[in-house]
Amino acid sequence: MARQKSYKAVMRSVTKGFEAVEDDIKIDLPRNPRNHRQLDHTKYLGLGFDAWAIQSLHVIKALLQGGNFSVTTLIGYSTNGLRFFINFLSGGSVKSPPATPNSLTKSHLDRYVSWLRLKYPNGSTAKNYYTSFKSLVVVLAEYGFIEVNLDDLLPLNPFPNNSQSTKDADPLTLGEMQRLIGALKSDLIAIHKGTFLGNGAEAMAVLLLITAARSGINTTPLLEMKRDALQPHPFIPNLRLITTVKRRGKGAQSKTIRQTNLLDEYSAIPLDGVAVLNKALEISKPLVALAPDEISSCVWLYRSGQPGRSNDIVTLTPGALYVTAKSICERHALQDDQGNRLNVTLSRLRKTMESRLWKLSGGDIIEVSSVMGHTPGVADNHYLKINDEIKVDGATFVGEAFPDKLRGINVIPTPPGGCKDSLYGSLAPKDGVNHCSEFIHCLGCPSYAIVGTLEDLYRLFSYQQFLYAEVEYFLTDEWGAWRKRQFDYIRLIDDFTQKFDLALVSQARAQAESSPHLFWAKKIEFMKKKLGGEI
């Protein structure tokens, strides 16, 4: 269970009744990316389901005050979760609808799922509405408004194979990304010169899109970024950290971004620099004192320009960003590879960055997911789409690196070399989602594969360096048998690599000794610091 805390001790006893909170059925919301100002459940009263309206808003208010959930998520509990469930209950689709959350049964939820499937047969809409309502049911149970065991209440996998009927936005191809960055760069130069022809929202959108392309930060944390988010990097002088808050999952996140200088007068402005974010801070600084208190700490401030409120200070929202990104693409006549107008969203930019990292890491999904701040399973399911461009890259690699008899065999790069199947190999979880991470045992696994390229051998010798470091780390007598096994692996690597080109082997070994693969280098560095008393 993700949340173990019992909230009942701080709540009024309203498990079966709801009169105690009857008058409190509106919530004024803080500033949020969805631009909702209030949640009002009075519209649900008088339909026979008042308890749902009142108790749901009560727990949403409690979660809002707790601060561990984004406002956007809590808005979804009401607008996507409760609203459609109330429509289902009041539409006569079930003979004995549950008047209170505590009278909800699994049969009701099964009927609701069927209703959603009929009403929204295409795409992921039905699943999204159900997921929001399920989350609301879970918190209602945590706060004591539902007393039945959730395992007996919630249907198991009500939308199987949903991913087959939906299509996520694809990452931008290399050509699409190059065209977009070229357009953004020209706009950035114009902003720096003071000759930008777009409005304030477009100028901020240009700076935000560049920041998104260089950092890979999620939409909501990026839009909610605070003005003090940019911090010095603790170790590397020419890097900076961007700190944002992602309430779901790991909380605060730090992203590394390269620090560069503005060179010449206008022309050479590196796109991978914090100069872009600094420019946004510079442009919006005069607006801070004029902005409402709730948004004065935001980065992406601009004058509204709307009739009747042209001088109002606002900040970018998802809706405003959608409009401005579309306008930028139309102004530059940007097209995708099929000749249609290019569609740019922050999720596509994030997936593009992740796919690029995937390629740069040689397919090491564990390392990529740690950089992007989520689990390997999430990365594989939602971000690392193997598009045609990556397939072409793979085909080129195979054609150059494999002898003819091995052509067509799919070997996936791993830190010690390669794997024939990282999803269903001998030591893999075999669940179709999670890639194998048992890298310590690769050499003894029948799925291990290596074809003798420089990159393959470099990874293998990097692992050998890790084995040497481990032997030095565990020097006490009780580890004698274990150290013998490690030396056996070290000798096995030496013997195994004799079959490859000696010059290539020497080059890979020297590279691994001087600069091991990052995956193993971090582990070696940790052991050395631990051994030296630095940690």
Side-chain angles (χ1 to χ4, degrees):
M1 293 291 291
R3 294 184 290 273
Q4 299 292 333
K5 180 180 177 181
S6 173
Y7 297 88
K8 297 180 185 179
V10 296
M11 299 294 295
R12 285 171 284 189
S13 181
V14 287
T15 300
K16 296 180 176 63
F18 52 91
E19 294 80 2
V21 290
E22 198 170 38
D23 297 329
D24 192 14
I25 49 178
K26 292 182 182 179
I27 300 176
D28 291 327
L29 297 173
R31 186 79 187 189
N32 60 83
R34 291 185 63 172
N35 215 24
H36 280 246
R37 311 302 291 173
Q38 187 182 71
L39 289 181
D40 182 1
H41 282 196
T42 57
K43 58 182 172 290
Y44 302 132
L45 298 180
L47 301 175
F49 311 106
D50 289 10
W52 281 101
I54 296 168
Q55 294 175 4
S56 294
L57 201 70
H58 193 52
V59 298
I60 290 173
K61 183 177 182 179
L63 294 176
L64 181 64
Q65 293 172 342
N68 291 322
F69 289 75
S70 73
V71 180
T72 299
T73 297
L74 298 178
I75 291 171
Y77 287 0
S78 175
T79 60
N80 291 344
L82 182 65
R83 177 161 65 104
F84 290 95
F85 186 68
I86 292 290
N87 289 345
F88 161 72
L89 294 181
S90 59
S93 298
V94 58
K95 287 185 179 180
S96 300
T100 68
N102 200 42
S103 57
L104 183 68
T105 67
K106 186 175 184 295
S107 176
H108 294 138
L109 287 175
D110 287 336
R111 291 293 300 272
Y112 182 49
V113 168
S114 299
W115 182 82
L116 285 172
R117 283 176 173 167
L118 289 173
K119 196 170 180 66
Y120 307 100
N122 300 318
S124 59
T125 303
K127 181 179 184 295
N128 291 339
Y129 289 158
Y130 171 77
T131 300
S132 292
F133 180 68
K134 175 187 173 183
S135 298
L136 178 61
V137 168
V138 170
V139 295
L140 282 167
E142 289 182 342
Y143 278 85
F145 290 107
I146 294 176
E147 296 177 312
V148 68
N149 190 314
L150 289 180
D151 292 337
D152 299 327
L153 179 64
L154 298 173
L156 183 64
N157 193 19
F159 292 92
N161 303 317
N162 181 73
S163 60
Q164 297 179 7
S165 62
T166 60
K167 185 179 186 299
D168 288 340
D170 292 324
L172 299 171
T173 67
L174 179 61
E176 292 168 346
M177 193 64 175
Q178 287 175 334
R179 292 191 290 275
L180 173 63
I181 292 299
L184 293 176
K185 180 177 181 179
S186 67
D187 281 348
L188 179 61
I189 293 172
I191 290 170
H192 191 62
K193 285 183 177 182
T195 59
F196 183 67
L197 299 179
N199 57 30
E202 280 193 40
M204 277 299 165
V206 167
L207 301 174
L208 184 143
L209 289 173
I210 295 173
T211 303
R214 307 316 295 168
S215 67
I217 300 174
N218 278 307
T219 301
T220 298
L222 184 59
L223 289 170
E224 293 181 346
M225 182 188 292
K226 302 305 180 184
R227 302 188 67 82
D228 60 355
L230 195 60
Q231 301 292 334
H233 194 285
F235 306 117
I236 306 175
N238 69 329
L239 296 182
R240 293 294 182 269
L241 293 177
I242 297 179
T243 303
T244 58
V245 175
K246 182 181 179 184
R247 294 174 182 83
R248 174 178 55 82
K250 297 182 180 179
Q253 293 184 313
S254 292
K255 294 287 184 181
T256 302
I257 187 168
R258 188 168 298 281
Q259 167 71 46
T260 56
N261 297 317
L262 293 177
L263 303 178
D264 299 333
E265 189 174 2
Y266 302 117
S267 57
I269 304 177
L271 296 180
D272 63 341
V274 297
V276 176
L277 186 52
N278 282 332
K279 190 65 178 179
L281 291 168
E282 175 192 331
I283 292 174
S284 60
K285 184 177 180 179
L287 306 179
V288 172
L290 306 175
D293 290 342
E294 57 191 4
I295 64 169
S296 61
S297 62
C298 293
V299 173
W300 316 107
L301 301 175
Y302 63 95
R303 294 186 184 275
S304 169
Q306 297 296 319
R309 50 190 295 261
S310 60
N311 287 322
D312 287 359
I313 309 303
V314 295
T315 186
L316 282 177
T317 64
L321 184 60
Y322 172 80
V323 172
T324 50
K326 181 179 179 181
S327 177
I328 290 168
C329 291
E330 290 176 346
R331 179 159 46 82
H332 289 281
L334 294 177
Q335 296 181 335
D336 61 22
D337 289 347
Q338 287 71 46
N340 303 313
R341 182 182 63 81
L342 185 64
N343 177 35
V344 176
T345 65
L346 295 191
S347 62
R348 293 195 75 187
L349 289 177
R350 179 170 174 82
K351 292 177 184 180
T352 304
M353 182 185 182
E354 184 138 330
S355 292
R356 177 175 176 270
L357 284 172
W358 184 87
K359 292 163 70 176
L360 291 177
S361 72
D364 188 343
I365 193 171
I366 305 298
E367 288 301 304
V368 170
S369 62
S370 68
V371 171
M372 298 301 289
H374 48 62
T375 66
V378 170
D380 185 56
N381 280 332
H382 299 288
Y383 295 110
L384 297 184
K385 300 297 184 183
I386 309 302
N387 57 20
D388 291 337
E389 184 183 340
I390 293 180
K391 289 178 182 177
V392 170
D393 287 348
T396 303
F397 168 77
V398 169
E400 292 176 350
F402 281 41
D404 290 344
K405 65 180 179 179
L406 289 178
R407 290 183 184 221
I409 295 178
N410 182 29
V411 176
I412 301 167
T414 63
C419 182
K420 292 179 181 178
D421 191 343
S422 62
L423 281 174
Y424 294 99
S426 180
L427 300 179
K430 301 179 180 65
D431 56 8
V433 174
N434 296 298
H435 289 258
C436 180
S437 58
E438 298 291 333
F439 302 131
I440 301 297
H441 306 293
C442 278
L443 295 188
C445 176
S447 299
Y448 179 72
I450 187 169
V451 296
T453 64
L454 177 62
E455 179 64 20
D456 257 4
L457 293 169
Y458 165 64
R459 288 169 180 266
L460 182 57
F461 285 124
S462 295
Y463 174 58
Q464 189 182 54
Q465 292 301 309
F466 167 74
L467 294 177
Y468 277 122
E470 272 203 324
V471 169
E472 292 180 9
Y473 185 75
F474 297 100
L475 287 175
T476 54
D477 292 339
E478 63 264 29
W479 291 94
W482 175 86
R483 285 201 305 276
K484 181 180 182 301
R485 191 198 69 180
Q486 298 298 85
F487 279 120
D488 287 341
Y489 276 135
I490 290 171
R491 282 190 293 270
L492 175 64
I493 292 172
D494 289 334
D495 294 340
F496 174 73
T497 53
Q498 287 181 3
K499 67 179 70 175
F500 299 112
D501 179 77
L502 293 180
L504 196 65
V505 169
S506 297
Q507 182 182 353
R509 189 191 297 275
Q511 183 180 350
E513 289 175 353
S514 62
S515 179
H517 185 279
L518 181 62
F519 184 89
W520 301 115
K522 293 294 184 184
K523 293 169 175 53
I524 294 171
E525 180 184 6
F526 174 81
M527 285 189 289
K528 287 184 177 179
K529 287 184 176 180
K530 190 83 171 176
L531 195 61
E534 298 178 43
I535 298 179

